[in-house]
Amino acid sequence: MKKPHLLVCAALVALSATAIGQVPQIPPASAQAPAVDLGGYWTPALHEDLMERGAGSEIADFGGFPLNEAGRLWALSYDPSRVTLRHHQCEAYLAPYQMRALGNFRIWEEREEHTQRLLAIHVWAQTTEGHRVIWMDGRPHPPTWAPHTFRGFSTGQFVGNSLVVSTTHMKSGALRRGNGVPQSDQATLTEFFVRHGDHLTNVTVVTDPVFLSEPMVRSNDFYRQPVDPGAWLYACDDGEQILDRPEDEVPHYLFGKQPYAREFSTRYKLPLAASLLGDATMYPGLNARLRTVNESEANGLLAPARGRASETSRATDKDSRDGNVHIWPVRDNVYMVVGDGGNIVVQTGDQGAFVVDTGEGKLSDKVLAAIRSLSANPIQFIANTSFRQEHTGGNAALGSAGQDPSLPGSFFLLQAPRGVTGFFENPLAHATMMAHANVQIRMQAAGAPAGAVPADTYLEDRRRKFHNGDAIELFYQPAAVTDGDSLVYFRRADVIVAGDVFSTTQYPVIDVKSGGSVQGEINALNAILNRTVYRHQGEGGTYVVPGHGYLSDEHEVLEYRDMVVIVRDRVKAMVDAGATLPQVKAARLTADYDTQYGANAGAWTTEMFVEAVYSSLKAQPSGC
Amino acid sequence: MTTLWIYLAGAAILLAPEMLRGVLELALMKPGIRLPAMIVIALAVCSVLVEAQRGGRGAPQAPPSPRAAAPFDLTGQWVSLITEDWRHRQFIAPKGDYASLPLSLAGRKNADSWDPARDEAAGEQCKAYGAAGLLRLPTRMRIAWQDDVTLRLDTDAGTQTRIFYFGSPQGNGGDWQGLSSASWDSPRAAFAGRGGGPPSGGSLKVVTTKMKPGYLLKNGAPYGANTILTEYFDRFDVPDGDSLIVITSEVVDPENLATPYWTSQQFKRENDTSRWSPTPCAAR
């Protein structure tokens, strides 16, 4: 070699270039730097639980699920024919089961155009057209009053070589397909996605304080498809499957009356308790545990345990009680205001605000401030869904802060009952308040101040008003939770305000002494369902604002309606058999719903609900 | 940093004579050439200094032992969560009921000849406890480092032991657990240096061969002597929750399976080790 020293120099130059070319690297944020590429087409391997994922699970096969008593009873009460009901027909899968479903999956990234920052990872499941969005941009989860969806709200981050996903705000539905194993709307999901070559493993960890005694862990295996397998749609429209079925009929089995509960254990020569022991079924030692279960104990698993106190709701932060008032946009110019007792709805526009219900009245100043932040014009109308304090408590404060410019000089003003209600006397200093006539009557009877009592009332089935560009209808619901309930429907915005007819947090407050009844409550819930239209796969579309709890759509109303019908049927069966109220209460007929709606203290307890159902049924003519 | 200095010192010793000669020749160069050459040399020196300041990777060094390189801690006691194929795993399904297994025609024929009494008579009660079926049974497992290159996995169900060798497996196999070769596995770029940083995290990959023929299910669903079992052990820590090991496994058996058989098994960490309950193999 003639010039080895030049080679050395060249090497040094190369080294120099390498060093200079490598600018110091800024460690990428873990939330933005994919540790693994999940993009592409994936097909589930289906080498586990094929029956569940294909034909469907067998009745009473609950083995491997850590169901608590409520979960087990819910599943035993479930009749698969429930899916023949119109509103159940097109329901999508919940996120955990969606990942377990048949059909192909597609995963892709969404990046910000100019920075290429990873915003989200999308998962599309062929079955039920399940579209999941996993937000990777660090956004927080929504508040408890935000709507729930079948796939929930997901955020993710990369940890090690896996994607970790946290999902909240899921609807209620099936944790297992086909045999009633439930998942509640309080469940949360943690997932891990890890890839081994062309094999993707998805681990789902479901935590459900309502129906599970410990987290449920399952894993799903996928293999990568090199080409688009096509067939990404899953069209569904509901239809009439059983004609002439009464609207208040929901297929279910009474406790202890599930006729096929022993079929599974008999077919496979297993002890009856084998699939009913909840978390014990998941662990080694099940056979030894089964040897300790006698026949009586096993049979006892088919119905609520006797002599046990009712469970209470496991829901967290059911009603926002943080001392603040929060605004949640519903749709178009309709907003939900939460925090002061019952939910409040505000519609805004070029006219004055139209407000439905006024809350408890403890935070009226904050409610008013919230409304003013939404509407430049003062409150013009207030509609009350019932006379209950949690929905009319703020009437006086909100009413007196409003004005109704449509009244001065009008004929109606001249007809105002001066000195009685007072607020037509100076309409520019008070909003007009409307409700069913029974609300006025009951509030006056209770001695409510004149400025708090609706004066603009209606007597029959419907009151209507076109305001702020929308057709607003009040539909009277006779004998629901009281004798003065109205549903308020914003037609263009497609939002129904349900008042206490519907709640996501508690059993319906059926006030029998104030004219409420369980049948009227069921009818009112069906009246909502008769007006809702889902957008896609059983969710979205018409929004329903509950009296308490989170913004809903028809799915939540449907589940609530089913619950009231099922409890009614159980109580009725005992009433028909001659049971007394104490006997009905002791039977724990709400045991599968108590961990969701139950209360043993406070203004509305489980016992009060059961008593209301009992007494309204006893008050009915026989045969109803 | 020590490695870097060793590298620099070594480079200086190797290159010093040529560098000295280069500098001398540089001094004798024509002025027009000398300036660019000096710039090149200055850049080279700068690069070395920059590299030094950045803590460059330096010369090859002995790789850490597999134990030291472990991306996560697998050791401890773990209990299986039988949440999938529950009936087939907690109990012995009837003959002919092979659940989701992709058995081939030959595999089904073999499975249909299952006779637990025959297995017992032959002293083969452990046929369902071989490597390809063991971790789908209801069991607890204990994982520990036997040495820096060997992981040991014990189960209380059937009192079985699996040995995972990083590097060449030792032994001839032919027993229930066969020979297992282990490695740490993580996503890698197809071409080194083309983007992306070093892989983060990883899985324990275990490839097992030379197993004595056994059962994938206790009711006789078979796997043969030529089966290749590939497993990935991943640890997932649920925020505010349990630590899990999920074992994703692929069983390839051209004789008995029509396609590769893919499953994943969940285990939960147990801090209370008192439930460890060794039990012998049972054919029924």
Side-chain angles (χ1 to χ4, degrees), chain B residues 115-127 176 212 281 283:
Chain B
D115 181 353
R118 187 180 62 211
D119 290 339
E120 287 170 347
E124 297 202 321
Q125 297 94 323
C126 287
K127 287 187 87 168
W176 299 122
K212 189 174 179 180
C281 297

Side-chain angles (χ1 to χ4, degrees), chain B residues 92-170:
Chain B
I92 302 178
K95 184 191 285 189
D97 180 357
Y98 307 123
S100 321
L101 274 171
L103 288 178
S104 63
L105 285 175
R108 182 164 290 273
K109 189 176 173 186
N110 289 336
D112 289 343
S113 68
W114 170 59
D115 181 353
R118 187 180 62 211
D119 290 339
E120 287 170 347
E124 297 202 321
Q125 297 94 323
C126 287
K127 287 187 87 168
Y129 297 77
L134 178 65
L135 298 182
R136 286 185 63 75
L137 294 172
T139 187
R140 288 179 166 79
M141 65 178 183
R142 285 178 173 170
I143 302 177
W145 286 97
Q146 192 164 280
D147 54 45
D148 279 355
V149 295
T150 314
L151 269 171
R152 175 186 171 118
L153 184 156
D154 291 288
T155 63
D156 60 358
T159 57
Q160 299 294 303
T161 299
R162 296 182 64 189
I163 302 293
F164 303 154
Y165 299 98
F166 285 80
S168 301
Q170 298 166 15

Side-chain angles (χ1 to χ4, degrees), chain A residues 13 49 196 217 219 282-283, chain B residues 82-85 264 266 268:
Chain A
V13 169
D49 288 340
H196 306 112
V217 183
S219 52
M282 304 193 312
Y283 290 105
Chain B
I82 309 295
T83 57
E84 299 163 305
D85 282 344
S264 39
Q266 295 81 242
K268 183 173 80 171

Side-chain angles (χ1 to χ4, degrees), chain B:
Chain B
M1 202 60 181
T2 306
T3 309
L4 174 71
W5 285 115
I6 292 169
Y7 161 69
L8 288 174
I13 291 167
L14 286 171
L15 302 177
E18 297 302 330
M19 285 182 72
L20 184 59
R21 188 175 161 193
V23 170
L24 288 172
E25 287 197 8
L26 190 66
L28 298 173
M29 279 180 180
K30 292 177 183 173
I33 302 174
R34 190 164 49 199
L35 182 59
M38 286 181 73
I39 292 172
V40 167
I41 295 294
L43 282 172
V45 172
C46 282
S47 77
V48 171
L49 292 175
V50 167
E51 186 69 9
Q53 284 192 329
R54 291 176 52 207
R57 293 185 186 87
Q61 57 181 315
S65 69
R67 183 176 188 170
F72 56 90
D73 183 15
L74 277 165
T75 62
Q77 180 168 313
W78 307 81
V79 62
S80 60
L81 301 171
I82 309 295
T83 57
E84 299 163 305
D85 282 344
W86 167 82
R87 178 171 60 79
H88 293 83
R89 294 167 66 187
Q90 284 282 18
F91 306 97
I92 302 178
K95 184 191 285 189
D97 180 357
Y98 307 123
S100 321
L101 274 171
L103 288 178
S104 63
L105 285 175
R108 182 164 290 273
K109 189 176 173 186
N110 289 336
D112 289 343
S113 68
W114 170 59
D115 181 353
R118 187 180 62 211
D119 290 339
E120 287 170 347
E124 297 202 321
Q125 297 94 323
C126 287
K127 287 187 87 168
Y129 297 77
L134 178 65
L135 298 182
R136 286 185 63 75
L137 294 172
T139 187
R140 288 179 166 79
M141 65 178 183
R142 285 178 173 170
I143 302 177
W145 286 97
Q146 192 164 280
D147 54 45
D148 279 355
V149 295
T150 314
L151 269 171
R152 175 186 171 118
L153 184 156
D154 291 288
T155 63
D156 60 358
T159 57
Q160 299 294 303
T161 299
R162 296 182 64 189
I163 302 293
F164 303 154
Y165 299 98
F166 285 80
S168 301
Q170 298 166 15
N172 298 317
D175 56 11
W176 299 122
Q177 305 309 331
L179 287 179
S180 295
S181 172
S183 59
W184 297 117
D185 186 73
S186 55
R188 290 174 193 283
F191 297 97
R194 292 288 183 85
S200 63
S203 312
L204 171 66
K205 180 179 181 181
V206 178
V207 179
T208 302
T209 57
K210 298 183 179 175
M211 290 170 278
K212 189 174 179 180
Y215 296 149
L216 295 168
L217 291 175
K218 281 192 118 179
N219 68 348
Y223 63 89
N226 294 321
T227 295
I228 300 172
L229 168 66
T230 304
E231 296 162 292
Y232 296 90
F233 290 66
D234 289 289
R235 175 171 168 159
F236 302 116
D237 294 321
V238 182
D240 302 319
D242 296 316
S243 291
L244 306 171
I245 284 181
V246 176
I247 305 167
T248 303
S249 65
E250 178 194 52
V251 181
V252 176
D253 177 5
E255 178 190 354
N256 293 292
L257 298 176
T259 69
Y261 173 49
W262 284 1
T263 58
S264 39
Q265 291 70 244
Q266 295 81 242
F267 287 79
K268 183 173 80 171
R269 188 177 183 85
E270 273 191 331
N271 293 323
D272 174 9
T273 58
S274 65
R275 292 187 177 176
W276 182 258
S277 176
T279 50
C281 297
R284 52 186 159 181

Side-chain angles (χ1 to χ4, degrees), chain A residues 299-564:
Chain A
N299 288 328
L301 294 169
L302 300 175
R306 292 298 183 108
R308 187 185 291 181
S310 293
E311 298 280 354
T312 58
S313 173
R314 311 272 171 81
T316 55
D317 194 20
K318 295 194 299 182
D319 270 336
S320 172
R321 296 278 186 184
D322 61 0
N324 289 310
V325 162
H326 308 274
I327 298 169
W328 185 261
V330 180
R331 180 180 287 136
D332 296 343
N333 55 338
V334 177
Y335 304 85
M336 188 166 90
V337 177
V338 302
D340 187 18
N343 289 328
I344 298 168
V345 167
V346 181
Q347 183 230 31
T348 63
D350 54 359
Q351 297 176 279
F354 190 111
V355 175
V356 184
D357 287 339
T358 57
E360 207 167 14
K362 293 179 178 172
L363 300 175
S364 290
D365 289 345
K366 291 182 177 178
V367 171
L368 275 170
I371 293 173
R372 286 182 182 125
S373 74
L374 297 171
S375 172
N377 299 319
I379 299 168
Q380 186 169 346
F381 295 106
I382 293 171
N384 287 134
T385 57
S386 78
F387 74 88
R388 290 174 45 75
Q389 169 70 17
E390 291 159 272
H391 298 276
T392 58
N395 273 10
L398 270 62
S400 62
Q403 57 176 257
D404 186 353
S406 69
L407 279 177
S410 76
F411 168 81
F412 298 101
L413 190 63
L414 301 175
Q415 305 303 309
R418 290 177 186 279
V420 178
T421 52
F423 39 87
F424 276 173
E425 292 174 3
N426 186 5
L428 289 179
H430 208 288
T432 294
M433 297 195 288
M434 61 183 71
H436 187 269
N438 287 344
V439 172
Q440 184 189 64
I441 292 168
R442 289 196 177 276
M443 290 184 75
Q444 286 175 338
V453 180
D456 187 351
T457 60
Y458 71 109
L459 292 167
E460 295 193 325
D461 59 345
R462 182 171 177 240
R463 169 84 164 87
R464 58 188 185 159
K465 185 164 226 29
F466 196 91
H467 191 70
N468 281 328
D470 202 350
I472 305 167
E473 296 172 286
L474 277 69
F475 294 104
Y476 177 46
Q477 304 303 311
V481 290
T482 69
D483 60 3
D485 302 309
S486 295
L487 306 175
V488 182
Y489 184 26
F490 294 89
R491 281 177 26 171
R492 183 176 61 80
D494 200 13
V495 176
I496 297 173
V497 188
D500 275 344
V501 163
F502 167 56
S503 166
T504 65
T505 65
Q506 61 182 356
Y507 289 116
V509 189
I510 299 173
D511 184 351
V512 177
K513 288 178 182 170
S514 299
S517 73
V518 67
Q519 191 59 46
E521 165 69 4
I522 292 167
N523 296 344
L525 291 165
N526 280 327
I528 298 174
L529 293 173
N530 286 337
R531 289 184 175 83
T532 57
V533 181
Y534 65 79
R535 186 185 70 81
H536 181 252
Q537 305 287 344
E539 71 181 353
T542 310
Y543 276 120
V544 182
V545 179
H548 293 267
Y550 60 84
L551 180 60
S552 302
D553 58 32
E554 73 171 36
H555 174 81
E556 283 79 21
V557 180
L558 176 67
E559 293 292 338
Y560 202 67
R561 188 279 312 269
D562 288 358
M563 177 271 291
V564 181

Side-chain angles (χ1 to χ4, degrees), chain A residues 2-165:
Chain A
K2 288 184 177 177
K3 301 280 184 185
H5 54 285
L6 292 180
L7 273 180
V8 170
C9 279
L12 287 171
V13 169
L15 180 63
S16 150
T18 305
I20 291 171
Q22 288 181 351
V23 295
Q25 292 186 353
I26 300 168
S30 62
Q32 296 175 16
V36 57
D37 172 27
L38 300 175
Y41 308 111
W42 300 93
T43 297
L46 299 179
H47 289 161
E48 292 173 287
D49 288 340
L50 184 60
M51 180 173 277
E52 175 192 2
R53 300 158 92 175
S57 306
E58 292 171 274
I59 290 170
D61 175 10
F62 310 145
F65 286 79
L67 292 176
N68 61 20
E69 184 196 40
R72 185 181 72 247
L73 294 172
W74 205 103
L76 284 166
S77 171
Y78 179 77
D79 181 344
S81 316
R82 205 175 295 179
V83 295
T84 63
L85 296 173
R86 174 188 289 274
H87 296 83
H88 280 297
Q89 288 172 20
C90 289
E91 287 173 338
Y93 294 146
L94 299 174
Y97 188 75
Q98 182 75 77
M99 300 307 295
R100 209 159 172 75
L102 295 167
N104 296 307
F105 287 71
R106 189 169 80 246
I107 303 179
W108 70 99
E109 291 179 348
E110 177 185 346
R111 289 179 182 260
E112 204 172 63
E113 181 182 0
H114 299 295
T115 64
Q116 287 300 295
R117 189 170 69 108
L118 181 60
L119 295 178
I121 294 173
H122 295 255
V123 180
W124 180 276
Q126 174 189 5
T127 314
T128 79
E129 296 180 4
H131 184 195
R132 300 185 61 195
V133 182
I134 301 165
W135 294 105
M136 302 296 294
D137 56 358
R139 70 182 63 191
H141 283 242
T144 54
W145 49 86
H148 290 215
T149 60
F150 286 108
R151 283 89 189 190
F153 183 92
S154 300
T155 56
Q157 60 177 325
F158 290 100
V159 177
N161 60 338
S162 65
L163 171 67
V164 183
V165 179

